[in-house]
């Protein structure tokens, strides 16, 4: 159990680090074939949940492939996650993992600001030692995101 | 050839309505004047009626420095009030939204009904001698017009009615906005370092589409793109004559040929702009509505809404939300780029260089003509009583030095 939890933590952190360096192949390698990636938030204005991205692995791969062609913020994002909950999932080999997330943006001059905070709600599967991401919901608290981002959080 | 300082500082050699001075984006005095002459006198989009579906539902906003509350009454009528208590100015309706039987100020509990009448003051005998009476203590009502589900407000009690203000600008939007009840599924805000007019410019000129990879791929290359342009309406309003977009030409996207919004053809793009800052864009399966709250000359709070059809099946809604998010929302492919564009312009303008924005394209009123920009600024000049090329004569003074 301890070893597996350690592996789960490493997986969450690798998912941040691969995106930070825009290693999209490296990120997708951490995700299962049926991966579902969502960004959601609650709107107190509408009194409703909002979905800001909802992608299958294939959608995500297509989206990531096009990212370099877009006009983007010239600096770097740094995703900081802290795994807070690792619970067994509904089936054996499945885990529900919740992490606190903060994303920082550093502009080319070296000035850093907080870009967004929220939580990862992950479903992680692990049938034989190396866990993978089966689903991730990025639940944002921050709703005013400046220019936003072409890359997932 | 590169230009000398003198050449650079000289106003462009073209008609005055073919360029604007950067001063109009950065000058604090002009901004205050815009508050008085434009924001406080024109119709502002406050919300969509679906945001206040039931009696007692309210939404709050701030416009031209004035806090407002839009509330649906027991009589189903949507009204707007200045969200300031008549007693000692506390905020009456709290938070961005809510539902109340009556509006009770949380400070000393003066109470107002949905019509803005003051209906209770604790121990009101204390006001018997000197007043005010409840009849004298109602909230300040703000003019409200609901057009095709869109709730507009106007701070000027003497301004022309909304119908006169908008004229025929909605003529090609009656069906898409009005034939079925719609619902807001996305509400997002962007606080940007840019002037409010700069954002609106991105909605009324199409040639910055060259800067968006999505629009280059799916729009500019689509057959017939250059043939249709803008239709202009009195008052600085206008409409993009509908176009076919090839959405499937962007990797991983589909053609948007099913479940289009009412009256909209597969793959169609239709948009309209109401002076000074309301834009409605239909991209086949979903609608985006922009409005902004100018905070300072170089700071703008943009509000964006995404709309679908109320009560539609979950899988249709999911498709609309997906299509909406492909372009728009904080993780869309386009909005981020527009914010980056306008912030780059503002960074240059901020320094007060005597720069000009060139609006001189003439393409027979075609897609990438600047005629809508010129039309928009003609209305700005009319309302401000100033030249947009030389609003304070300072630019000319600098150039002459
Ligand atoms: S300020 Fe509202 S009741 Fe006193
Ligand atoms: Fe744009």
């Amino acid at each position: 159990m301890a070893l597996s939890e350690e592996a789960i933590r490493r997986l969450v952190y690798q998912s941040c680090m691969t995106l930070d360096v825009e290693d999209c192949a490296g990120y997708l390698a951490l995700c299962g074939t049926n991966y579902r990636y969502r960004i959601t938030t609650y709107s107190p204005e509408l009194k409703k949940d909002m979905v800001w991205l909802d992608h299958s692995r294939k959608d995500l791969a297509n989206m990531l492939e096009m990212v370099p062609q877009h006009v983007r913020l010239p600096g770097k994002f740094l995703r900081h996650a802290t795994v807070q909950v690792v619970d067994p999932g509904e089936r054996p080999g499945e885990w529900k993992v919740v992490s606190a997330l903060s994303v920082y943006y550093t502009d080319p001059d070296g000035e850093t600001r907080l870009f967004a905070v929220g939580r990862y709600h992950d479903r992680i599967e692990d049938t034989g030692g190396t866990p993978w991401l089966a689903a991730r919901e990025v639940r944002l608290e921050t709703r005013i995101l400046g220019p936003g981002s072409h890359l997932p959080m | 050839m590169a230009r000398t300082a003198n050449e650079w500082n000289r106003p462009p050699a073209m008609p005055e309505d073919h360029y604007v001075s950067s001063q109009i984006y950065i000058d604090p005095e002009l901004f205050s004047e815009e508050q008085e002459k434009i924001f406080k006198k024109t119709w502002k989009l406050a919300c969509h009626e679906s945001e206040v579906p039931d009696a007692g539902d309210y939404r709050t906003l701030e416009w031209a420095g004035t806090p407002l509350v839009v509330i649906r009454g027991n009589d189903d009528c949507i009204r707007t009030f200045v969200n300031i208590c008549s007693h000692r100015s506390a905020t009456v309706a709290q938070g961005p939204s809510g539902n109340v039987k009556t509006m009770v100020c949380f400070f000393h509990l003066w109470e107002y009904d949905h019509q803005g009448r003051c209906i209770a003051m604790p121990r009101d005998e204390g006001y018997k001698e000197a007043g005010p009476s409840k009849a004298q203590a109602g909230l300040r009502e703000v003019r409200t017009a609901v057009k095709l589900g869109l709730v507009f407000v106007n701070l000027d009690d003497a301004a022309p009615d909304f119908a006169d203000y908008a004229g025929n600008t909605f003529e090609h939007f009656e069906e898409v906005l009005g034939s079925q009840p719609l619902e807001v599924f996305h509400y997002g805000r962007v606080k940007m370092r840019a002037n409010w007019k700069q954002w609106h410019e991105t909605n009324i000129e199409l040639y910055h589409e060259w800067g968006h990879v999505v629009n280059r791929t799916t729009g500019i290359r689509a057959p017939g793109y250059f043939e249709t342009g803008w239709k202009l309406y009195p008052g600085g309003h206008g409409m993009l004559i509908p176009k076919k977009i090839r959405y499937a030409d962007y990797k991983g996207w589909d053609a948007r040929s099913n479940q289009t919004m009412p009256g909209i053809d597969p793959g169609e793009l239709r948009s309209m702009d109401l002076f000074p800052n309301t834009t409605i864009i239909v991209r086949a399966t979903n609608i985006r509505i922009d409005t902004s709250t100018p905070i300072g000359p170089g700071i703008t709070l943009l509000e964006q809404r995404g709309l679908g059809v109320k009560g539609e099946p979950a899988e249709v809604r999911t498709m609309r939300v997906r299509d909406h998010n492909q372009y728009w929302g904080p993780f869309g492919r386009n909005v981020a780029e527009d914010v980056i564009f306008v912030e780059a312009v503002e960074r240059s303008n901020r320094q007060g260089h005597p720069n000009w924005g060139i609006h001189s394209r003439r393409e027979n009123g075609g897609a990438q003509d600047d005629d809508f920009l010129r039309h928009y600024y003609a209305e700005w000049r009319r309302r401000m009583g100033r030249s947009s090329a030389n609003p304070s004569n300072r630019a000319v003074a600098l150039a002459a030095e």
Side-chain angles (χ1 to χ4, degrees):
Chain A
M1 174 110 174
L3 179 70
S4 189
E5 279 201 25
E6 187 49 41
I8 283 167
R9 277 197 189 89
R10 210 174 318 136
L11 172 64
V12 171
Y13 301 148
Q14 277 178 331
S15 74
C16 293
M17 290 166 72
T18 48
L19 283 177
D20 287 351
V21 295
E22 304 195 2
D23 171 12
C24 297
Y27 177 79
L28 288 171
L30 306 172
C31 308
T33 44
N34 295 321
Y35 185 54
R36 185 174 184 203
Y37 176 86
R38 294 173 5 117
I39 300 178
T40 66
T41 188
Y42 176 76
S43 164
E45 296 87 6
L46 304 178
K47 293 183 266 186
K48 274 182 207 158
D49 272 354
M50 298 190 289
V51 176
W52 280 349
L53 266 191
D54 185 352
H55 279 347
S56 67
R57 186 194 161 103
K58 185 155 175 277
D59 296 333
L60 201 57
N62 283 335
M63 186 183 95
L64 293 172
E65 191 185 319
M66 290 300 291
V67 164
Q69 294 194 41
H70 283 271
V71 173
R72 294 189 293 143
L73 287 174
K76 284 184 185 169
F77 287 103
L78 188 145
R79 296 157 182 80
H80 179 93
T82 304
V83 175
Q84 296 177 315
V85 179
V86 179
D87 278 344
E90 273 127 43
R91 287 172 297 164
E94 192 178 285
W95 305 84
K96 285 182 183 162
V97 180
V98 180
S99 313
L101 173 72
S102 33
V103 182
Y104 302 90
Y105 173 72
T106 304
D107 70 24
D109 293 332
E111 196 169 320
T112 298
R113 67 179 168 87
L114 187 58
F115 179 79
V117 298
R119 282 199 165 79
Y120 285 151
H121 293 263
D122 292 335
R123 190 158 55 78
I124 287 174
E125 289 176 7
D126 169 18
T127 49
T130 312
W132 67 86
L133 282 168
R136 165 166 289 174
E137 178 176 351
V138 185
R139 186 80 179 159
L140 289 179
E141 297 295 334
T142 309
R143 302 192 307 284
I144 298 185
L145 289 149
S149 166
H150 285 93
L151 277 173
M153 288 292 99
Chain B
M1 219 193 318
R3 289 178 290 164
T4 63
N6 254 338
E7 290 165 340
W8 169 261
N9 290 341
R10 206 174 291 148
M14 54 180 69
E16 261 213 5
D17 67 342
H18 281 43
Y19 63 97
V20 293
S21 161
S22 303
Q23 292 297 324
I24 66 165
Y25 305 114
I26 59 168
D27 188 317
E29 283 170 29
L30 288 178
F31 183 80
S32 307
E33 206 173 303
E34 286 178 330
Q35 294 265 75
E36 298 306 316
K37 295 182 174 173
I38 297 178
F39 310 150
K40 290 185 181 170
K41 292 197 179 311
T42 53
W43 288 90
K44 149 80 178 169
L45 178 77
C47 64
H48 184 260
E49 64 180 359
S50 68
E51 294 168 60
V52 287
D54 300 317
D57 283 347
Y58 69 83
R59 282 281 279 121
T60 60
L61 69 148
E62 199 170 303
W63 176 235
T66 309
L68 300 174
V69 53
V70 178
I71 185 164
R72 187 186 288 270
N74 291 324
D75 57 357
D76 216 31
C77 179
I78 296 174
R79 295 180 181 82
T80 306
F81 305 99
V82 172
N83 193 16
I84 295 178
C85 182
S86 307
H87 177 219
R88 273 161 55 192
S89 304
T91 310
V92 181
Q94 304 289 330
S97 71
N99 180 281
V100 285
K101 285 203 168 61
T102 58
M103 292 180 273
V104 181
C105 177
F106 68 175
F107 198 179
H108 315 93
L109 311 192
W110 284 24
E111 187 174 354
Y112 307 91
D113 68 11
H114 296 166
Q115 268 91 295
R117 294 176 293 216
C118 180
I119 51 170
M121 299 161 162
R123 285 183 58 78
D124 59 351
E125 59 268 36
Y127 295 109
K128 278 240 165 73
E129 281 179 30
S133 66
K134 282 186 282 229
Q136 293 166 324
L139 296 175
R140 189 211 142 176
E141 186 159 1
V142 172
R143 293 174 69 201
T144 306
V146 182
K147 172 71 179 175
L148 299 166
L150 305 175
V151 181
F152 287 89
V153 296
N154 195 319
L155 293 169
D156 180 8
D157 286 349
D161 285 345
F162 183 82
D164 295 333
Y165 180 79
N168 290 329
T169 315
F170 282 90
E171 61 181 333
H172 296 285
F173 287 78
E174 299 277 343
E175 189 174 357
V176 64
L177 294 175
S179 60
Q180 291 182 51
L182 304 182
E183 182 176 53
V184 178
F185 59 70
H186 166 80
Y187 177 81
R189 285 184 291 180
V190 182
K191 196 179 278 175
M192 64 184 88
R193 285 207 70 168
N195 183 268
W196 66 278
K197 297 185 290 302
Q198 284 182 268
W199 183 263
H200 209 63
E201 289 170 10
T202 69
N203 286 333
I204 62 182
E205 61 92 340
L206 279 196
Y207 50 93
H208 84 280
E209 292 202 299
W210 293 104
H212 289 302
V213 57
V214 166
N215 305 46
R216 279 201 300 273
T217 317
T218 65
I220 295 177
R221 282 195 204 136
Y225 173 89
F226 288 97
E227 269 111 70
T228 60
W230 303 93
K231 182 168 180 187
L232 307 179
Y233 299 90
H237 318 310
M239 182 198 83
L240 181 69
I241 295 163
K243 292 185 180 309
K244 283 280 177 107
I245 301 301
R246 298 210 296 208
Y247 293 102
D249 286 1
Y250 187 87
K251 186 165 179 87
W253 291 8
D254 70 29
R256 304 193 176 192
S257 37
N258 298 317
Q259 299 288 347
T260 55
M261 293 301 285
I264 298 295
D265 284 340
E268 192 180 318
L269 163 65
R270 195 179 289 205
S271 91
M272 62 164 276
D273 296 88
L274 211 58
F275 187 90
N277 67 347
T278 304
T279 301
I280 304 167
I281 307 176
V282 189
R283 283 199 177 271
T285 54
N286 65 96
I287 301 176
R288 156 182 154 195
I289 301 180
D290 280 7
T291 177
S292 60
T293 304
I295 294 175
I299 302 178
T300 300
L301 186 63
L302 170 73
E303 281 181 279
Q304 299 192 303
R305 289 171 167 82
L307 286 88
V309 178
K310 197 168 186 167
E312 63 196 355
E315 64 276 13
V316 176
R317 176 59 62 86
T318 300
M319 176 277 296
R320 286 202 208 292
V321 172
R322 178 202 66 194
D323 286 1
H324 171 272
N325 291 343
Q326 284 174 348
Y327 269 83
W328 302 322
F331 300 95
R333 304 296 96 183
N334 261 47
V335 167
E337 294 178 334
D338 285 318
V339 176
I340 293 167
F341 294 148
V342 298
E343 289 194 341
V345 173
E346 196 277 338
R347 256 195 311 280
S348 307
N349 287 344
R350 197 187 299 165
Q351 310 305 330
H353 293 300
N355 295 340
W356 283 272
I358 309 285
H359 300 166
S360 60
R361 289 182 75 92
R362 296 182 190 169
E363 295 196 22
N364 275 328
Q368 299 195 344
D369 199 306
D370 267 330
D371 54 353
F372 193 2
L373 271 177
R374 291 190 289 267
H375 175 67
Y376 179 84
Y377 278 105
E379 180 65 12
W380 187 90
R381 289 192 293 275
R382 192 184 72 76
R383 289 184 174 271
M384 293 287 283
R386 285 180 182 278
S387 159
S388 46
N390 183 14
S392 56
N393 280 330
R394 250 172 293 168
V396 166
L398 271 169
E401 264 173 23

